[in-house]
Amino acid sequence: MKIVPFFFVTFVLTAGASVSTHEHSSLIDSPKVRYALDFIEEHEPEAIDEQIVICEIPAPPFEEQERAAYYRKRFVELGLENVRIDDVGNIIGERPGSTDGPVLLFSAHLDTVFPEGTDVTVTREGNIIKGPGIGDDCRGLTLQLSVIRALNAAEIETIGKIYFVGTVGEEGLGNLRGVRNLFEHELKGQFTHFISIDGRGLGATIGAVGSNRYRVTFNGPGGHSHGAFGLVNPIHALGRAIEKISRFEVSKDPKVTFNVGRIGGGTSINSISFSAWMEVDMRSIDPNYLARLDANFQQAMHDALEEENAFWRRFKNASNDEIPHLTVEVKPVGIRPAGQQDPDSSMIKAIRAADSAMGITSDFGSSSTDANIAISIGMPAATLRGGGAGAHAHSLHEEFDTTDSYLGTQRALLVILELVGME
């Protein structure tokens, strides 16, 4: 087992408390903890088999039900209490604590980026397993089950309660709908810390890259390209709008980004379109910079509309009432909040403690994950990687390298115990 001794921090047993930093804690020397760590390494081959099983169950965007049913069954088999499916499709199971301590929500996401009908067959060549979503997030789901098995096998009783959750809607236009429901409805006010597992490697996401996503649609009367020439044109307006977006000047530090990801519209080459649309993504870790970019974007959409309408009025030397106008709809399709975390938060201390125990140094970074909402409201939170290595995420040829992949599960277990404590 690749663990080096070190002194763990002690635990403050009040709900939502931070971890204190006394040097002589003996958690790493607990026979139960060491048994759990050994159990994880010994049973990693079985975990990899389950990772393959999970990944071969389709879970396209907004259609996670089949994989959710399997995950619910596994929660029941592993002895979690009050296992249930909430209103949006999250699978929730509870592992009670012994007293009123910090309460952790520990999650991985069920959905993938791949549409219905994608071939989800997994292939294996030595230590390499390949398949759509094999790392993102079949690994996270598998790791979560492995943690439960290890806690059970070692008969570890935690002080704080743990909610284990398989979430929906993490990818794409899912807009974190699963986590939103946990925060706003299903588990509102019932947990103090948040961890999600996503992807491969041993990094840790502690900053939330926020994103504002819109579908912009220009609408007009449409007509024949020659016979009705002079009508306002939604596709022309779309072009004006994209050109304006392309000239945005944004900050490099903090990093701010924008992208037109998809466009569409039109009926035929010889028709003036009656509709044209695009989908736009804007991101930053700083909510103020993101808000300013959003305001510029909204103004640009208004200006593009006015320019297209004004151009054809001038072209035909007509009044406002003599030609139809274009209209524009700017519809939000995904808002993920941004935020940063206090470097002295209990979450970051717990991760550093676990890293020290394992002789690794986490690559702390920022991204857009299920942890965004927690980070944005100041809750100690992180997204941990699931161990192993890999390549080609979000592609049909995604790879996961199982070499020493158990280290990700061991690290996650140690972070959990740092946060909720153990008897």
Side-chain angles (χ1 to χ4, degrees):
M1 178 178 67
K2 297 183 179 179
I3 299 291
V4 295
F6 107 115
F7 296 115
F8 261 71
V9 296
T10 57
F11 299 97
V12 180
L13 303 184
T14 56
S18 297
V19 180
S20 61
T21 54
H22 301 286
E23 289 187 352
H24 299 293
S25 172
S26 59
L27 178 59
I28 193 62
D29 297 322
S30 163
K32 287 188 175 183
V33 172
R34 300 198 72 85
Y35 182 89
L37 297 172
D38 287 335
F39 180 90
I40 287 169
E41 181 178 359
E42 179 183 352
H43 291 270
E44 181 67 359
E46 297 167 37
I48 297 302
D49 289 342
E50 183 149 51
Q51 188 172 337
I52 293 171
V53 169
I54 290 172
C55 214
E56 290 186 334
I57 302 172
F62 299 94
E63 298 292 338
E64 303 97 335
Q65 296 91 334
E66 186 177 354
R67 185 175 288 179
Y70 174 86
Y71 214 58
R72 181 183 186 279
K73 177 175 73 74
R74 293 294 287 129
F75 273 7
V76 171
E77 291 170 349
L78 291 171
L80 295 184
E81 298 183 6
N82 196 21
V83 176
R84 59 198 185 275
I85 301 177
D86 71 8
D87 292 341
V88 299
N90 296 316
I91 307 301
I92 304 169
E94 302 175 15
R95 199 174 193 275
S98 61
T99 61
D100 291 332
V103 179
L104 173 66
L105 195 157
F106 187 62
S107 76
H109 68 84
L110 294 160
D111 58 321
T112 72
V113 299
F114 304 99
E116 187 175 1
T118 299
D119 184 354
V120 292
T121 302
V122 176
T123 60
R124 188 168 190 169
E125 300 174 11
N127 287 343
I128 306 298
I129 49 180
K130 300 179 181 180
I134 193 64
D136 181 8
D137 196 21
C138 297
R139 178 58 186 177
L141 295 166
T142 304
L143 184 151
Q144 190 170 192
L145 299 178
S146 295
V147 165
I148 301 169
R149 293 173 65 201
L151 290 170
N152 292 346
E155 299 181 347
I156 291 175
E157 186 177 7
T158 59
I159 294 168
K161 182 177 184 177
I162 306 172
Y163 288 103
F164 290 91
V165 185
T167 62
V168 297
E170 193 276 342
E171 299 285 12
L173 294 178
N175 197 29
L176 307 184
R177 75 182 190 281
V179 170
R180 289 181 194 279
N181 194 62
L182 298 173
F183 273 88
E184 297 172 3
H185 302 289
E186 185 69 24
L187 298 178
K188 183 177 181 180
Q190 298 181 44
F191 56 96
T192 60
H193 295 71
F194 181 96
I195 293 176
S196 65
I197 304 292
D198 200 341
R200 67 278 190 277
L202 291 173
T205 296
I206 58 171
V209 175
S211 62
N212 292 1
R213 295 172 172 175
Y214 292 94
R215 184 179 177 101
V216 179
T217 306
F218 289 94
N219 293 304
H224 193 279
S225 62
H226 183 73
F229 183 70
L231 285 180
V232 285
N233 191 318
I235 291 180
H236 291 188
L238 185 70
R240 295 177 190 273
I242 293 173
E243 192 274 336
K244 292 179 185 298
I245 292 172
S246 72
R247 290 191 282 112
F248 285 163
E249 295 184 4
V250 293
S251 167
K252 293 182 179 179
D253 185 20
K255 186 177 181 179
V256 180
T257 64
F258 57 85
N259 181 61
V260 177
R262 294 205 307 155
I263 61 173
T267 304
S268 69
I269 192 171
N270 59 334
S271 297
I272 298 172
S273 170
F274 59 84
S275 182
W277 59 267
M278 64 178 170
E279 291 176 348
V280 182
D281 172 271
M282 298 173 285
R283 300 190 183 209
S284 179
I285 194 172
D286 188 305
N288 295 320
Y289 279 83
L290 185 57
R292 286 199 289 271
L293 177 61
D294 192 289
N296 291 338
F297 163 76
Q298 300 286 347
Q299 184 64 49
M301 297 307 97
H302 172 78
D303 292 346
L305 175 71
E306 290 304 306
E307 288 176 12
E308 179 66 14
N309 283 329
F311 176 83
W312 293 108
R313 284 197 300 270
R314 291 194 300 269
F315 176 82
K316 299 190 74 170
N317 194 25
S319 70
N320 286 348
D321 297 330
E322 290 177 338
I323 64 170
H325 287 191
L326 290 182
T327 60
V328 64
E329 178 186 30
V330 182
K331 179 180 179 181
V333 293
I335 303 295
R336 297 190 180 198
Q340 302 181 58
Q341 194 162 185
D342 186 335
D344 291 324
S345 77
S346 57
M347 182 61 65
I348 295 177
K349 287 180 178 179
I351 296 170
R352 291 191 187 280
D355 287 353
S356 179
M358 301 184 66
I360 63 175
T361 302
S362 272
D363 176 17
F364 288 98
S366 301
S367 187
S368 180
T369 71
D370 266 346
N372 272 45
I373 295 175
I375 294 171
S376 73
I377 63 173
M379 178 179 288
T383 294
L384 303 178
R385 302 303 178 186
H392 313 305
H394 285 198
S395 81
L396 296 174
H397 311 290
E398 186 172 349
E399 297 180 4
F400 184 81
D401 185 343
T402 66
T403 304
D404 294 337
S405 53
Y406 64 88
L407 294 173
T409 311
Q410 289 179 334
R411 194 267 293 270
L413 176 70
L414 293 177
V415 174
I416 289 170
L417 295 179
E418 280 287 338
L419 293 169
V420 300
M422 62 174 285
E423 294 289 356

